Amino acid sequence: MKVGIVGLASSGKSTLFNALTHGVAETGRFGSGRAEVNRAQVLVPDERLDWLADLYGPKKKTPATVDFLDAPGLVAGSTDKATARLIGDLRTVDALLQVVRVFDDPAVPHPAGSIDPVRDVSDFDAELILADLAVVENRLARVVSDLGKGVEPAVLGPEKDLLERVQGALEEGRPARSVDLSAKERQVLRGYALLSQKPAILIGNVGEDDASGGDSDAALREYAASAGLPYLPVAAQIESEIAQMEDAEAAEFLADLGIERPSRDRVIRAAFDLLSLIIFFTFGEDECRAWTVARDSDAVEAAGKIHSDIARGFIRAEIVDLGTLREAGSWAAAKDVGKHRLEGKEYRMRDGDCVIFRFNV
Ligand SMILES: Nc1nc2c(ncn2[C@@H]2O[C@H](COP(=O)(O)OP(=O)(O)OP(=O)(O)O)[C@@H](O)[C@H]2O)c(=O)[nH]1
Ligand SMILES: [Mg+2]
């Protein structure tokens, strides 16, 4: 899964990136022109995998991963080459973490002169919508011209209708994700990688005083609820400092601040939920490994995550869910009590399934 950290300049994106990835990306460089995009891969903490690895003592333990991309801030209204490149980078991500400045700090001037989270969300959305509108208009012009020449009316006719509806929404300032679409239409639209169609989580970057809750983000919270977007408050600055500490010291600091779980855990959880992703496990003495798949994947698709040969030669999946495995104590014990299942190609994978794929190529 690839997640883009986006938002207006100086909202705290690089600071959040550091909190999430234990990174040391440069922060506080507003006005320095277009900084680099920061990228890092985070291992998804999962005590279920830890348990499995304790059981098998494998040579290798491989957690699921999330790739984070920290984009430089979009400056409202800019149309330069760097902005175009940035938007191109963002088109490749699966989901957006939209950072909104809530914290007030005279040492960090807000580019717009005042703190107003709801205004900032709308300003940022307007940039995404504008970029998407350009894509939609381009494509629409092309489709109309082709239709005029009699090219593929059965395909291009419905596409024109789809594009016009999306264009209408964008022109009204509504994101592409707000348009009511059939599954097929959504699929077609995804081909254009529109930014405002991407699933998004709003992150309110709150000050340290509000690390464990406060009402400085009340308006933003309300906005998120009305827009149907998941919302998480994060005190990015203090969490980025804590992310640099040893585990024990970090836990103590978090507890002092009243933060139950570090934002990394909360953000990853929210991203999995947002994208409807689940984790299944493979195991053995060589490797215990967590794999990420879409919630409605069947057994063959899951097998294909591991290797195309396993999907191609799929015979069946042997499955025990991790909770049952834990209760039974071992794979053999689970089998003895009849909790071991043989599943076919159409089986829908569930979160926490421990799987042995049987295949023949
Ligand atoms: N007081 C306070 N300062 C913060 C917080 N989060 C970020 N900052 C500061 O705000 C400034 C900008 O933070 P960055 O993380 O660089 O912001 P950015 O969104 O990456 O900025 P650009 O990449 O320039 O768009 C830095 O000086 C941070 O230290 C916070 O929660 N509280
Ligand atoms: Mg930055």
Side-chain angles (χ1 to χ4, degrees):
M1 166 181 15
K2 202 162 152 189
V3 176
I5 303 176
V6 299
L8 292 181
S10 273
S11 52
K13 298 177 296 298
S14 302
T15 307
L16 177 70
F17 174 82
N18 288 341
L20 296 176
T21 66
H22 296 219
V24 288
E26 203 166 358
T27 58
R29 296 262 311 219
F30 178 60
S32 66
R34 296 303 174 164
E36 290 289 291
V37 170
N38 299 304
R39 296 169 203 271
Q41 189 167 70
V42 169
L43 306 178
V44 176
D46 193 332
E47 55 87 28
R48 298 174 302 175
L49 179 66
D50 298 339
W51 180 84
L52 207 54
D54 281 344
L55 184 65
Y56 284 92
K59 295 190 193 99
K60 206 169 152 202
K61 178 169 90 174
T62 312
T65 57
V66 179
D67 290 311
F68 286 104
L69 179 157
D70 162 39
L74 269 182
V75 177
S78 55
T79 51
D80 56 3
K81 267 200 189 131
T83 303
R85 195 170 55 233
L86 166 60
I87 285 177
D89 269 336
L90 290 180
R91 293 206 187 282
T92 66
V93 305
D94 302 310
L96 302 175
L97 280 188
Q98 185 171 339
V99 182
V100 186
R101 175 165 174 178
V102 177
F103 72 89
D104 196 358
D105 183 349
V108 185
H110 190 298
S114 64
I115 307 295
D116 185 343
V118 174
R119 170 204 61 202
D120 287 358
V121 179
S122 322
D123 281 0
F124 183 77
D125 281 350
E127 294 303 314
L128 297 191
I129 286 170
L130 217 60
D132 285 348
L133 199 53
V135 173
V136 169
E137 281 171 351
N138 259 328
R139 177 65 194 159
L140 197 53
R142 189 68 190 274
V143 167
V144 168
S145 141
D146 281 355
L147 278 171
K149 294 181 208 143
V151 181
E152 293 196 273
V155 178
L156 295 184
E159 188 173 336
K160 172 169 174 278
D161 168 66
L162 166 64
L163 288 167
E164 281 171 348
R165 273 187 292 147
V166 175
Q167 182 186 33
L170 295 173
E171 280 172 352
E172 285 168 16
R174 286 187 291 121
R177 79 173 82 83
S178 72
V179 182
D180 217 1
L181 300 175
S182 69
K184 170 103 190 298
E185 288 173 326
R186 214 170 300 127
Q187 188 68 34
V188 171
L189 199 62
R190 226 174 266 140
Y192 304 129
L194 299 182
L195 298 175
S196 72
Q197 192 193 6
K198 293 194 186 287
I201 299 172
L202 284 184
I203 304 283
N205 183 10
V206 299
E208 185 176 331
D209 294 343
D210 290 338
S212 63
D215 57 10
S216 59
D217 62 348
L220 183 60
R221 194 180 285 274
E222 209 168 287
Y223 171 88
S226 70
L229 295 172
Y231 171 74
L232 289 176
V234 175
Q237 179 73 50
I238 186 76
E239 282 218 40
S240 73
E241 287 161 22
I242 293 173
Q244 299 298 323
M245 299 174 183
E246 298 291 335
D247 285 354
E249 194 190 359
E252 207 171 296
F253 264 87
L254 287 171
D256 272 356
L257 286 162
I259 301 176
E260 247 171 68
R261 286 156 67 212
S263 60
R264 187 189 57 166
D265 294 9
R266 291 187 289 139
V267 166
I268 290 175
R269 186 70 260 159
F272 268 78
D273 286 348
L274 181 70
L275 297 174
S276 292
L277 297 175
I278 57 168
I279 284 182
F280 72 89
F281 301 98
T282 53
F283 54 89
E285 277 154 23
D286 280 334
E287 188 183 26
C288 288
R289 180 160 180 170
W291 302 85
T292 307
V293 282
R295 183 171 291 284
D296 54 3
S297 300
D298 61 34
V300 175
E301 286 168 314
K305 283 274 162 189
I306 302 174
H307 201 286
S308 55
D309 282 351
I310 306 181
R312 203 152 38 83
F314 182 93
I315 300 171
R316 62 174 179 270
E318 296 184 23
I319 298 183
V320 177
D321 78 84
L322 193 118
T324 305
L325 189 59
R326 259 181 163 167
E327 273 167 33
S330 74
W331 187 263
K335 225 169 168 168
D336 282 347
V337 293
K339 293 287 177 65
H340 162 271
R341 292 179 283 128
L342 297 181
E343 302 286 2
K345 290 184 175 176
E346 280 92 46
Y347 172 72
R348 301 272 162 195
M349 299 299 294
R350 294 195 208 135
D351 192 46
D353 279 346
C354 299
V355 192
I356 300 173
F357 288 107
R358 300 292 178 198
F359 66 105
N360 187 6
V361 283

